[in-house]
Amino acid sequence: MVPDLPSPSRRALLAGTGVALAGATVGVGAIEPTALPDPVTDQASKWLPDPTDHRWHPPVSEAHARDAVERLAAEVERGRDLWDELDTDERFGGAGGWLESARESLRADEYREATFYATGGMQFAAEEVGIALHRLDRPGGDPEHLAERGESIRERAERLLDGIDGYRVVDPGRDLGWYHEIERRIRLVRLDAHERDPDRDRAYDARDIGSIHAGNRQAAQRVRDAKHYRDRLEALVGDDGGDGTSWADRIERLDGRFRAAIDEFPSRGDLRAEIEAIEDEHGPGPYYTARWKLAMWCYDADYLVADWDEDLGLVNAVAAGQALAQRRAHDRAVDALVMDPGGPRSFDSGHVVREKRAAMKRFRRVVGESPSPLLSILTERAGEDIDVAEVGFSGSYERPIWRDRVDAYCYALIGRMKLKEYPQVYERFVAAK
């Protein structure tokens, strides 16, 4: 079986160790950072509360999940039959344990998880099918056939997209979250579904065909997911009193305003030049490391803001809003740093504990236990930042150890500062005008 989906409750597995530290941790953040030895505050950073798994995902019906699992089971069976025809000592790999996990989730009434596992498993099972089709010289393994299949899948996705381009909204915080997830699936379809290769003389080997067939099969599932979400959203909007109000013009205006505001910030190259000058003058100490990390986390995701899918209006606007918020958070974080450019090459992990406590306080105030779908999407990364703000996260320690402490401190700091900025972006999306 494949591992379970990541869950913030993983620390419950380590409760025995946590009990021993719980009493000590409670008081740590209330003390000045230098009051306790680093080994104590290093450990305390692991046991402070983390954000709940607040990221909203569209609920999935039992029928939809069952269909996805049955399709994977059929692909596995097809692959087994095809590989039995091959004259080879190689073994059919199946779905790599994903089918068993999907079935277990289905039995446990965890329908979103079942669909997730079924889609992931299709990559493995369908790749094996594609390899066999190529080696057996079957029509399904022909590149032209696969290109036609990919084009058909893409056309279905485009029809779905055309049907939501007005963004009819009754409850903006809820409905825009649904539209965002529909568009995300369509973006994945465009990445996965095979396109005809302009280099028609290219030779495809069995692995190529396997990968292409798997991409088509996964893309087809994502189209079904997007349609399922669209149908459920239409039912929600209808239950709330009708067709709703079009949000399309507002989203387009917001996207333009976010991008114009981004252009007022320094470029990524200019910022890196500034940080390199700090290294040249003071060396790669804690301040330089913090500046480099903050710049990387807040500026290096700009590829998500590129208009490479111009018709995915909401996904692009959300990405632009997040990029703007991250730049503003970056500036706040730099102003709040507790180290100086010429300071010593050491760092007190008490600062990690204090900053993480402050970040969690803001997380509870801004996000809470059940945020709206759109707010949960906007703030997702801030929660992840706070979650990994611990010295020696996942047992990986940097050397010298002060680097790991600076990492943890910066994660908590930038998470807190993002949570000062994301709500403003959210309000821009849901405002009536």
Side-chain angles (χ1 to χ4, degrees):
M1 289 177 51
V2 296
D4 290 338
L5 287 170
S7 170
S9 63
R10 59 189 172 83
R11 285 172 172 76
L13 300 174
L14 304 174
T17 310
V19 168
L21 279 170
T25 303
V26 169
V28 168
I31 303 173
E32 287 298 318
T34 55
L36 291 172
D38 281 326
V40 174
T41 46
D42 286 350
Q43 198 66 21
S45 71
K46 298 178 173 64
W47 298 109
L48 288 171
D50 288 321
T52 56
D53 186 11
H54 74 285
R55 173 60 157 90
W56 172 84
H57 298 278
V60 172
S61 71
E62 178 183 0
H64 182 76
R66 191 173 299 280
D67 176 73
V69 175
E70 288 174 354
R71 288 176 186 275
L72 174 58
E75 191 76 1
V76 170
E77 188 62 29
R78 182 189 184 196
R80 185 175 291 112
D81 291 343
L82 287 169
W83 276 74
D84 283 345
E85 297 182 42
L86 291 173
D87 182 16
T88 178
D89 293 331
E90 298 178 67
R91 297 177 59 186
F92 171 60
W98 292 76
L99 177 58
E100 290 77 10
S101 294
R103 284 170 168 166
E104 280 199 8
S105 295
L106 196 60
R107 288 193 293 269
D109 299 334
E110 296 171 347
Y111 303 131
R112 184 182 70 83
E113 289 81 357
T115 306
F116 169 85
Y117 288 128
T119 306
M122 188 62 77
Q123 176 182 352
F124 297 95
E127 185 171 354
E128 297 281 295
V129 168
I131 290 171
L133 288 171
H134 179 271
R135 291 179 179 176
L136 293 168
D137 198 23
R138 299 291 170 82
D142 175 61
E144 185 64 23
H145 170 83
L146 290 167
E148 291 172 359
R149 176 63 177 149
E151 183 177 352
S152 174
I153 295 167
R154 286 169 175 272
E155 289 173 353
R156 288 165 52 200
E158 298 311 311
R159 288 195 295 271
L160 268 172
L161 185 62
D162 290 343
I164 66 166
D165 61 357
Y167 303 112
R168 310 300 298 187
V169 164
V170 171
D171 178 344
R174 179 197 68 187
D175 301 344
L176 292 178
W178 279 89
Y179 284 123
H180 183 273
E181 293 305 289
I182 293 168
E183 288 191 350
R184 280 189 67 240
R185 296 313 182 282
I186 292 173
R187 172 170 281 182
L188 291 171
V189 169
R190 292 173 175 177
L191 291 172
D192 290 338
H194 183 52
E195 288 188 280
R196 188 171 279 100
D197 194 332
D199 181 7
R200 303 301 295 272
D201 295 330
R202 176 185 169 187
Y204 291 89
D205 62 21
R207 288 291 172 188
D208 292 331
I209 297 301
S211 178
I212 292 169
H213 177 68
N216 279 349
R217 294 288 281 157
Q218 283 194 301
Q221 180 59 48
R222 298 191 200 283
V223 172
R224 287 189 288 271
D225 291 344
K227 182 180 182 301
H228 181 61
Y229 298 160
R230 192 275 315 272
D231 292 346
R232 300 201 73 168
L233 174 59
E234 287 181 350
L236 285 172
V237 171
D239 290 345
D240 284 349
D243 293 336
T245 303
S246 174
W247 233 251
D249 289 343
R250 307 173 202 214
I251 290 171
E252 184 177 358
R253 286 196 301 271
L254 277 179
D255 188 45
R257 290 170 183 167
F258 290 150
R259 293 171 191 275
I262 287 171
D263 288 342
E264 296 177 4
F265 282 80
S267 71
R268 177 182 171 194
D270 289 343
L271 185 62
R272 290 203 166 195
E274 176 188 339
I275 296 169
E276 287 169 2
I278 294 170
E279 182 184 26
D280 291 342
E281 182 174 356
H282 300 286
Y287 182 82
Y288 160 80
T289 300
R291 291 291 308 273
W292 184 79
K293 295 284 185 180
L294 292 172
M296 179 175 65
W297 298 336
C298 295
Y299 277 76
D300 279 10
D302 279 4
Y303 69 92
L304 295 173
V305 189
D307 286 329
W308 49 284
D309 274 326
E310 293 185 12
D311 53 348
L312 300 183
L314 182 57
V315 163
N316 288 329
V318 167
Q322 288 173 317
L324 175 59
Q326 287 168 188
R327 279 163 169 73
R328 290 173 172 168
H330 170 272
D331 288 356
R332 284 180 179 269
V334 169
D335 289 342
L337 287 173
V338 296
M339 64 281 278
D340 297 318
R345 295 197 181 184
S346 62
F347 191 72
D348 186 338
S349 61
H351 292 295
V352 179
V353 173
R354 185 175 65 174
E355 190 56 59
K356 188 169 183 177
R357 282 172 59 91
M360 271 306 302
K361 183 178 180 181
R362 178 159 294 276
F363 181 89
R364 294 188 186 100
R365 184 162 63 248
V366 171
V367 180
E369 293 296 327
S370 56
S372 73
L374 181 60
L375 181 60
S376 82
I377 290 167
L378 283 167
T379 60
E380 177 183 17
R381 185 51 202 252
E384 293 173 353
D385 290 336
I386 300 169
D387 187 49
V388 300
E390 57 185 47
V391 181
F393 179 73
S394 295
S396 175
Y397 289 86
E398 293 187 52
R399 291 292 183 266
I401 188 62
W402 63 258
R403 293 182 181 276
D404 204 67
R405 292 168 182 151
V406 169
D407 266 15
Y409 165 74
C410 287
Y411 271 122
L413 176 63
I414 198 60
R416 179 167 67 90
M417 296 309 178
K418 286 176 182 177
L419 290 169
K420 289 187 175 184
E421 298 296 337
Y422 286 147
Q424 298 178 51
V425 173
Y426 174 74
E427 290 301 326
R428 299 284 296 276
F429 275 107
V430 301
K433 293 183 180 180

